[in-house]
Amino acid sequence: MKRDEILKEAENLINGDRAKDYGDAYTNHKRIADIWSVVMGREVTVKEVILCMIGMKVARLVHDSKEDSWIDICGYAGLGGEINGKG
């Protein structure tokens, strides 16, 4: 895929299927942060969730460079930029 195709696919996912499947991105990631907070025994922020999800995708890329991981990183980066400063 070309870079513009990767970015467009990420946009389509975060504004289309993923939004329909999981609802508002901030609300969904806040829910994840709340669950992780219980597991970790400390407050986890939405920003930390998004950073960890990007980190997970990077770790997967080290093992196997699959196109969908690159797309997902772009999607998480877009969401992270949007929620920056919210939590």
Side-chain angles (χ1 to χ4, degrees), residues 13 18 49-77:
L13 287 172
R18 301 276 164 74
V49 169
I50 291 175
L51 289 170
C52 287
M53 297 304 287
I54 290 170
M56 178 192 66
K57 293 296 180 172
V58 170
R60 288 182 176 177
L61 285 168
V62 169
H63 175 71
D64 187 4
S65 190
K66 291 193 176 189
E67 197 170 80
D68 70 315
S69 290
W70 291 110
I71 293 167
D72 288 345
I73 287 170
C74 293
Y76 284 121

Side-chain angles (χ1 to χ4, degrees), residues 7-65:
L7 294 171
K8 187 66 173 170
E9 179 63 18
E11 178 187 17
N12 289 338
L13 287 172
I14 64 173
N15 292 324
D17 289 345
R18 301 276 164 74
K20 289 176 192 165
D21 291 344
Y22 304 118
D24 176 71
Y26 183 85
T27 301
N28 183 49
H29 287 82
K30 176 69 172 109
R31 188 177 307 114
I32 295 167
D34 291 344
I35 292 168
W36 286 8
S37 294
V38 173
V39 172
M40 301 293 287
R42 69 161 186 88
E43 182 181 355
V44 175
T45 67
V46 172
K47 180 180 176 181
E48 289 173 320
V49 169
I50 291 175
L51 289 170
C52 287
M53 297 304 287
I54 290 170
M56 178 192 66
K57 293 296 180 172
V58 170
R60 288 182 176 177
L61 285 168
V62 169
H63 175 71
D64 187 4
S65 190

